[in-house]
Amino acid sequence: MRDRRSTPTGSGAIIALLILVGTIGGGLLGQPTIGLLSGLALGIIIALLIYLGERGK
């Protein structure tokens, strides 16, 4: 039988934090939309890496 973890790690907070950081950083540079999209993309990539890392355990 597989030894599975009962509580998976959530990544929603990471995605939300990176969206905010990207928007603020982009706003300081005069491009808040690009900052939002880049923060969202980076958050999704990190969330996928966390998911794939836990899936392999």
Side-chain angles (χ1 to χ4, degrees), residues 22-41:
T23 303
I24 293 169
L28 293 174
L29 297 173
Q31 297 292 331
T33 304
I34 293 174
L36 182 136
L37 293 175
S38 62
L40 177 63

Side-chain angles (χ1 to χ4, degrees), residues 2-3 5-6 10 12 14 16 20 23 25 28 30-32 36-38 41 49 56-57:
R2 296 175 99 181
D3 201 51
R5 208 170 156 183
S6 61
I14 294 171
L20 289 173
T23 303
L28 293 174
Q31 297 292 331
L36 182 136
L37 293 175
S38 62
L49 290 174
K57 289 183 181 179

